[in-house]
Amino acid sequence: MSAKLTDIVAFLDSYLRITEVPDDPRALNGLQVESSGQVSKIAAAVDACVATIELAIDRKADLLLVHHGLFWGGAEPITGRNWERIGRLVRHDIAVYSAHLPLDCHPEVGNNAVLARALGLSDVQPFGEIGIQGGLELHRDELVDSLKGVLGVEPRLIATGPERVSRIGIVTGEAGSMIREAKHEGLDTFVSGEGPHHTYFDAEEWGINVVYAGHYATETVGVKALAECLEERFGIPWEFVDHPTGL
């Protein structure tokens, strides 16, 4: 089973609202590397890097679907590591499609929405520009255990809020700066991937629990959900190529 790359790109551009969701211009959301035009297998990954490109080659994929694309360093010569990446893709006829904030904030396959569903949040509402908030009644240690089960990592809990959790905000990736906003929204617990050192004191002094479950780990769920969506629509098999950073 295969599909035309142009058909997949047209669907993704519309489904993710690629041209409508504001993002860092370096994200270059959408098709980043073209191929000869047919897709018979998808490799989904958090990051486009030499390691995930090699994994895509090993899995005989011809589309690499990623959250973090190739061009975060801005315009650079296609030499050194840039050629190591681009050269491999061209030689093996692998296209690359990247979706950063359009994937974070998507209501169905977005990182935040998928994680909220996996944790069982109720009364789900938007939080900030891309996040999710909702209700969940349990002990904060149970929340950490649930995150561990969903993501397969050991989350870091800053236990400076109430022991019993009732209202949680989720913004995957690096969103420690949103602890203030979580407090202002009346949330007692905030889940993200990572944050800087000073956010410990933000959590402590504002009396809110913060759980950091890893930038990489919290952003594995969206690309998996998006790849599954493509399989359902186009009948193309997919595989997640895991290259965890531990961060």
Side-chain angles (χ1 to χ4, degrees), residues 92-230:
H92 293 275
D93 197 26
I94 299 173
V96 176
Y97 191 98
S98 179
H100 185 233
L101 292 189
L103 182 57
D104 280 322
C105 68
H106 195 275
E108 296 170 356
V109 298
N111 285 310
N112 298 293
V114 173
L115 189 53
R117 286 198 302 271
L119 293 174
L121 268 64
S122 62
D123 184 28
V124 172
Q125 300 174 22
F127 171 52
E129 294 183 358
I130 65 170
I132 292 285
Q133 60 172 301
L136 189 63
E137 297 281 346
L138 76 175
H139 194 281
R140 62 192 177 195
D141 291 341
E142 293 177 295
L143 173 62
V144 171
D145 288 342
S146 292
L147 282 164
K148 183 178 179 179
V150 171
L151 301 175
V153 297
E154 191 69 56
R156 171 73 168 88
L157 170 65
I158 304 175
T160 48
E163 290 188 7
R164 296 293 303 179
V165 169
S166 62
R167 193 76 185 171
I168 298 173
I170 301 174
V171 182
T172 59
E174 183 183 6
S177 62
M178 292 188 68
I179 296 173
R180 179 192 295 271
E181 191 168 350
K183 178 64 177 176
H184 287 172
E185 285 281 320
L187 309 181
D188 54 59
T189 303
F190 178 59
V191 175
S192 187
E194 62 174 324
H197 174 74
H198 70 82
T199 58
Y200 180 92
F201 309 111
D202 294 341
E204 183 178 52
E205 292 168 6
W206 287 327
I208 185 170
N209 297 308
V210 173
V211 187
Y212 288 142
H215 193 141
Y216 177 88
T218 59
E219 295 190 331
T220 58
V221 294
V223 287
K224 292 177 181 178
L226 184 58
E228 185 175 354
C229 172
L230 290 177

Side-chain angles (χ1 to χ4, degrees), residues 19-32:
T19 61
E20 301 169 39
V21 177
D23 205 343
D24 188 312
R26 297 172 300 173
L28 287 177
N29 293 310
L31 185 65
Q32 294 193 335

Side-chain angles (χ1 to χ4, degrees), residues 18-64:
I18 285 293
T19 61
E20 301 169 39
V21 177
D23 205 343
D24 188 312
R26 297 172 300 173
L28 287 177
N29 293 310
L31 185 65
Q32 294 193 335
V33 177
E34 201 166 7
S35 69
S36 61
Q38 287 295 124
V39 176
S40 58
K41 185 171 182 181
I42 298 168
V46 175
D47 306 287
C49 59
V50 170
T52 55
I53 292 168
E54 283 290 344
L55 289 168
I57 293 168
D58 290 343
R59 306 307 195 272
K60 301 188 183 308
D62 31 36
L63 172 61
L64 180 60

